[in-house]
Amino acid sequence: MTLQLVNGIAYGNLLFLIAAGFTLIFGILRVINMAHGSLYLLGAHTAISTATVTHSVWAGIIAGALAAAVLGALIERTLLYRIQGNYLAQVIVTIGVLMIVGDLCQVYWGGTPRIYTLPESLRASVPLGDLRYPVDRLMLVAIGPAIAVALWFLIERTAIGAKVRAAVDDEEIAQAIGISVPRLRVLVFALGGLLAGLAGALGSTFIGAKAGIDLDIILLALVIVVIGGPGSLVGSYVAALVVGLIDSIGKSVWPEASMFLLFAPMLAVLIVRPHGLFGRPPGPATAARQFKPIQIPVPTWVWSLIDVLRRGATHISWPVAAVIALLAGIAVPAFGSGFLVTVVVLMLIWSMFAIGLNIMLGYGGMPSLGHALFFGAGAYAMAWSGFAGLSAYLGLVAAIACACGAALFLAAVALRARDAQLLLVTLAVAQVVWGLVFKWRSVTGGDDGLIHPQAFPLIWSSLSPSTSLYVHVAVAFALALLAYAWFARSNFRLLLTGVRGNEPRLLALGYNVDLLRLKAILLSSAFSGFAGALAAVYSGFAAPELFGVHTSARVLIMVVIGMAGTFFGPIIGAVSVIGMEEVVSSWTERSNTLLGALYIIVALFAFGGIRFVRRRVAARRPASLAPVVSP
Amino acid sequence: MSDVLSAASGAAITVKGLTKAFGSIEVIRGIDISFLHRERHLIIGPNGAGKTTFFNLLNGQYAPSAGRIEFLDADVTHMPVRQRALLGLGRTFQIASLFLDLSVRDNLDIAAGAPQVAVRSGRSSEETVDSALRFCGLDGDSAVRHLSYGEQRRLEIAMGLASAPKLLLLDEPMAGLTQIERGLVAERIVELSASTDIVLIEHDLEVALKLADRLTVLHLGQVVAHGAVDAVMNDPFVRKIYLG
């Protein structure tokens, strides 16, 4: 038992080191720094390389921490400061960084896991009961509290800390009394990076550096931060210790449940105390951010073409529009290549998924970075229905039911969260489910996923399977579009826009806002789960990555690029993103880097979509004055 | 006569010992007061007297630190905002609190579609919206975001009307309006009071005193005077804090 206790405390301290930088940045700057995993990864890689070259462990630790600190400062100084206060755009940028750094680390250091072996001289151990315990892990027990105290001292007891607190409290006033807030932000980011790099360096002897570790680190940091209360360092420390101990002791007492041990405390805390053990309850929701499209001037002829199309679209009657859509739908398999049909199928599926998110984010103003949860739930439900011998049509129903179940689960913990907090909670829940799917091999197939036999029946025997799938997806899309149009014209949509714009007023009028939110989440999950089920049939495979943050980020970027809160926005977004991805992946192996760059560019410059406007030309002739009216 | 009337109709809202403290600062300090049916009540007081806080307590935005609130003889002290609204307690906001993304008609639709309205007003929500549109004299299709400040205030009151409350709390309905607009709003309030009990906070005494039946003066979180308008305005203490 002593061993488990010491192990748990050591693990807890490591967890604290992992989470400290993340919680610091979220608490002070309200930025959900998804690049935290990259900072850890970079720290670990740099530490291992430096220590190997210099034969000095200390040089490795310092180099790792500094490298991450520099990257952290760079992220803030070059990218994030441009979009201050826009937490949604910021999270997209950091996801872009996460993709790029992960990809480049793999290029530079290769894909094989690297673990640093301590030189013989440092491999000491101390007696612990009948066993011996390695000193390097025991060091963590000293380093964790030391860093916690140092951070507390820095923030609560120094002039810099006072300035930081002032800047958090009221940025404008802080600026007005001469505090350079941008410099402080860089400082906080550097500090957060330093901590992440330090954790990477210290963890390099047993966690090591490998592809994918960045996502695991974020998952751990999320669990700690959500339990402790976002932004609370004390909370993080307590949460890390508790989780470390539960994990270590639980594994020895009840090994079968080991995969739940990390996550069960988080879910319990979210249900009982949604703002975490030491967090403060969130204030009233801030006014929803307006998605303002950037305006790109285009030559007059392009603009008139767009204008004609737009006018045509508004004047066209429903039957005519339906016929045109039908003809276009037939034209794809009739004249297009097999590749085109596949791409269109993907576009349609992701359009439905994006419609789902648009209902929540665009109309309801509820940002979600956990939509992969519904998509994955739909896909796995479809796969399981295949194993159960059900038809694929029943599988679709099962998928919607499964996604709605997931939505109820999410709503139970996320209904009261708003804004950045909601983003954090949805992300945390989805990541936890992703972690479970990864580990629960007997049910989900683990990291292999499920290869399932589920498929739609052939419509005609002469039709090729891919065309038959295309027809099914196209019909499904048409049905989804009808449901979506019904929603967009409903009173419910009106009220949901009200929730986004002015929640207190709706409450004062007597509306049950929580119920409206719940309905929105459910409806959103139904669309997403439906899309997920079709995706599973499309690929014949349900992979744990469907639950991952990349899936959530991808659909988020679609909604953002197509202008959230507009009817056709998600469809335009899905079509453009899938199109771009197809183009990019045909160019290069390193498509993740290019996609990451795309995320960053969209979040920095095209957040809220793109709108084409007529190019304004300065008048060359002076305008004639109105003629004088003589009496 | 007026005593008989008020005894028959009773109190719309009664508070006893109402207190609200933020940390160690008591903003509302033991208010005891009743607002009677069929009377237009005006609350005045210098800045920081606690007027809006008092409204926030009445409508449930804030939970009181102590005391009791009764609305239509039901204890609503610990009832959430939404349930008070369902009982028929409506309010407008000092800073116009509209749905800026929507049109005027959509705003009124939301107000008139509120769960309690159809039951209480006995009218279809379309009728309610149409009459509210006439009331504020705005074009239903115009975007609220592009309305002038005065028009937004008018819509604010029309929404209060469309939600068909039994008691409407009006928080500075005339603030920031021109003289002409104030006159218009005052007329509307008189019109409204035929069907709804009204309590309003207002700074512009010239207009407000004309339409008030009863006057309450708040000062540093306490009621310093309450009663018929003339009597209160002649109170020496009120004259002191208002006229220096």
Side-chain angles (χ1 to χ4, degrees), chain A residues 192-509:
Chain A
L194 188 85
L195 289 170
L198 189 65
L202 291 174
S204 62
T205 53
F206 43 104
I207 295 181
K210 57 182 176 232
I213 195 75
D214 40 3
L215 284 177
D216 294 343
I217 291 298
I218 290 168
L219 174 57
L220 290 176
L222 278 170
V223 169
I224 300 303
V225 167
V226 168
I227 293 180
S232 163
L233 278 172
V234 181
S236 289
Y237 195 78
V238 173
L241 271 191
V242 168
V243 170
L245 284 171
I246 290 180
D247 191 69
S248 165
I249 296 173
K251 265 179 186 159
S252 67
V253 178
W254 191 17
E256 301 83 40
S258 64
M259 64 192 141
F260 298 104
L261 286 173
L262 204 53
F263 309 133
M266 181 185 111
L267 296 177
V269 165
L270 271 179
I271 290 170
V272 180
R273 234 179 117 82
H275 45 273
L277 293 178
F278 288 79
R280 272 169 295 173
T286 51
R289 186 162 305 285
Q290 285 300 307
F291 290 92
K292 284 200 193 113
I294 56 157
Q295 305 199 326
I296 296 183
V298 292
T300 312
W301 67 269
V302 178
W303 192 83
S304 23
L305 190 71
I306 294 170
D307 201 42
V308 164
L309 285 177
R310 195 185 318 167
R311 275 160 203 260
T314 50
H315 285 99
I316 218 163
S317 65
W318 278 110
V320 178
V323 169
I324 293 177
L326 190 66
L327 288 177
I330 293 172
V332 170
F335 303 107
S337 64
F339 175 70
L340 181 72
V341 173
T342 332
V343 171
V344 171
V345 164
L346 260 184
M347 285 173 172
L348 293 179
I349 289 174
W350 280 82
S351 292
M352 286 181 260
F353 188 16
I355 286 172
L357 180 59
N358 191 39
I359 290 171
M360 235 176 108
L361 171 66
Y363 290 108
M366 291 177 270
S368 159
L369 205 47
H371 254 58
L373 178 60
F374 308 141
F375 197 66
Y380 272 79
M382 187 55 122
W384 290 321
S385 78
F387 292 124
L390 299 172
S391 90
Y393 302 114
L394 275 177
L396 283 176
V397 178
I400 291 177
C402 195
C404 286
L408 285 176
F409 174 66
L410 183 73
V413 296
L415 205 53
R416 301 204 167 248
R418 305 278 185 274
D419 303 335
Q421 178 95 7
L422 180 60
L423 212 54
L424 190 75
V425 171
T426 49
L427 174 67
V429 172
Q431 286 300 94
V432 160
V433 174
W434 169 75
L436 282 183
V437 168
F438 229 96
K439 287 182 182 161
W440 202 358
R441 190 162 278 280
S442 56
V443 176
T444 61
D447 50 352
D448 297 334
L450 294 175
I451 298 170
H452 63 86
Q454 190 66 287
F456 290 112
L458 281 184
I459 306 173
W460 300 286
S461 48
S462 59
L463 225 52
S464 75
S466 69
T467 315
S468 171
L469 176 67
Y470 167 79
V471 172
H472 275 98
V473 171
V475 171
F477 179 75
L479 290 176
L481 204 59
L482 276 179
Y484 180 47
W486 167 80
F487 157 79
R489 296 168 71 95
S490 70
N491 204 39
F492 171 56
R493 202 272 301 162
L494 195 64
L495 293 176
L496 205 53
T497 317
V499 174
R500 182 185 72 191
N502 192 345
E503 189 183 331
R505 187 58 188 258
L506 272 188
L507 274 173
L509 283 167

Side-chain angles (χ1 to χ4, degrees), chain A residues 290 500 502 505 508-509 511-512, chain B residues 82 97 101 110 113-114 156:
Chain A
Q290 285 300 307
R500 182 185 72 191
N502 192 345
R505 187 58 188 258
L509 283 167
Y511 284 99
N512 189 342
Chain B
R82 191 175 79 78
S97 176
D101 301 330
I110 288 181
E156 176 73 44

Side-chain angles (χ1 to χ4, degrees), chain B residues 11-14 35-39 41 55 58-59 69-72 84-85 87-92 120 160 163-170 195-200:
Chain B
I13 198 161
T14 305
F35 297 117
L36 305 179
H37 281 305
R38 299 285 162 263
E39 283 186 326
H41 290 270
F55 266 23
L58 290 184
N59 119 297
I69 305 170
E70 282 170 22
F71 176 56
L72 304 174
R84 292 185 211 207
L87 282 181
L89 182 62
R91 82 172 284 187
T92 67
R120 193 164 327 109
S163 67
K166 290 180 183 159
L167 172 73
L168 184 57
L169 307 172
L170 292 166
S195 57
T196 306
D197 299 325
I198 284 179
V199 180
L200 78 154

Side-chain angles (χ1 to χ4, degrees), chain A residues 4 7 17 50 109-110 145 153 170 178 189 207 345 381 405 416 423 430 440 467-468 480 494 496 515 527 545 579:
Chain A
Q4 272 89 35
N7 237 341
L17 279 179
T50 313
W109 280 292
F153 187 81
D170 192 323
F189 248 91
I207 295 181
V345 164
R416 301 204 167 248
L423 212 54
W440 202 358
T467 315
S468 171
L494 195 64
L496 205 53
L515 187 67
F527 278 95
E545 282 76 32

Side-chain angles (χ1 to χ4, degrees), chain A residues 556-572:
Chain A
L556 183 62
I557 204 100
M558 287 172 182
V559 173
V560 164
I561 220 175
M563 213 175 150
T566 57
F567 185 80
F568 288 108
I571 301 170
I572 295 171

